[in-house]
């Protein structure tokens, strides 16, 4: 009996974010840190970011690569995908050592961002 009550409470907490259903988990936000793990397949395809927003006013998105200090600002338009090409050497983590090879993304409104390397047989 107690196990079924405990299990039900756990499921309710997981599926409602522990707030009784008042919020929904999603992949939107105003700040992200992404990494690209080592990919053994290298056919010169560069990593890319794909950014979109639902904000009618659009989004001002700042992308920074801490490893090089490179920064760019792009405008994301509601309902459209903005593509940003990245330098593979500056963002790909290689081996198992510590690294500052990450992508820091900030925005003035909620966005969705995906990082992709489109190699033929990715590892």
């Amino acid at each position: 009996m107690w196990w079924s009550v405990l299990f039900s409470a756990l499921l309710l907490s997981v599926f409602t974010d522990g707030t009784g259903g008042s919020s929904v988990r999603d992949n939107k936000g105003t700040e992200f840190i992404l990494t690209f793990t080592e990919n053994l397949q290298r056919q010169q395809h560069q990593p890319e970011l794909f950014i979109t927003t639902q904000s009618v006013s659009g989004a001002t998105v700042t992308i920074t690569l801490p490893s090089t200090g490179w920064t760019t600002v792009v405008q994301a338009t509601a309902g459209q995908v903005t593509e940003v090409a990245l330098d593979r050497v500056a963002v790909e983590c290689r081996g198992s050592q510590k690294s500052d090879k990450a992508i820091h993304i900030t925005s003035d409104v909620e966005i969705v961002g995906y990082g992709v390397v489109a190699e033929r047989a990715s590892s």
Side-chain angles (χ1 to χ4, degrees):
M1 171 67 173
W2 283 105
W3 285 107
S4 62
V5 171
L6 182 60
F7 184 70
S8 297
L10 177 64
L11 284 178
L12 181 63
S13 176
V14 167
F15 288 113
T16 62
D17 192 24
T19 62
S22 63
S23 69
V24 177
R25 289 182 183 218
D26 61 27
N27 57 347
K28 294 180 253 181
T30 58
E31 182 174 27
F32 301 89
I33 295 179
L34 302 176
T35 61
F36 286 95
T37 56
E38 183 174 17
N39 192 326
L40 299 178
Q41 181 73 19
R42 288 192 175 75
Q43 295 175 331
Q44 305 308 316
H45 290 97
Q46 296 299 320
E48 291 184 296
L49 291 178
F50 297 94
I51 301 168
T52 189
T53 185
Q54 291 180 333
S55 174
V56 177
S57 61
T60 301
V61 182
T62 303
I63 302 161
T64 304
L65 306 182
S67 65
T68 63
W70 179 83
T71 298
T72 190
V73 177
V74 297
Q75 295 298 126
T77 304
Q80 296 182 2
V81 176
T82 302
E83 296 181 34
V84 180
L86 300 170
D87 176 28
R88 177 181 225 133
V89 174
V91 298
E92 183 182 37
C93 296
R94 307 270 323 257
S96 60
Q97 72 271 10
K98 291 181 181 180
S99 174
D100 61 354
K101 293 185 174 186
I103 301 102
H104 184 211
I105 304 168
T106 58
S107 177
D108 60 339
V109 297
E110 282 193 333
I111 60 170
V112 174
Y114 290 98
V116 176
V117 177
E119 294 291 1
R120 182 168 175 247
S122 292
S123 57

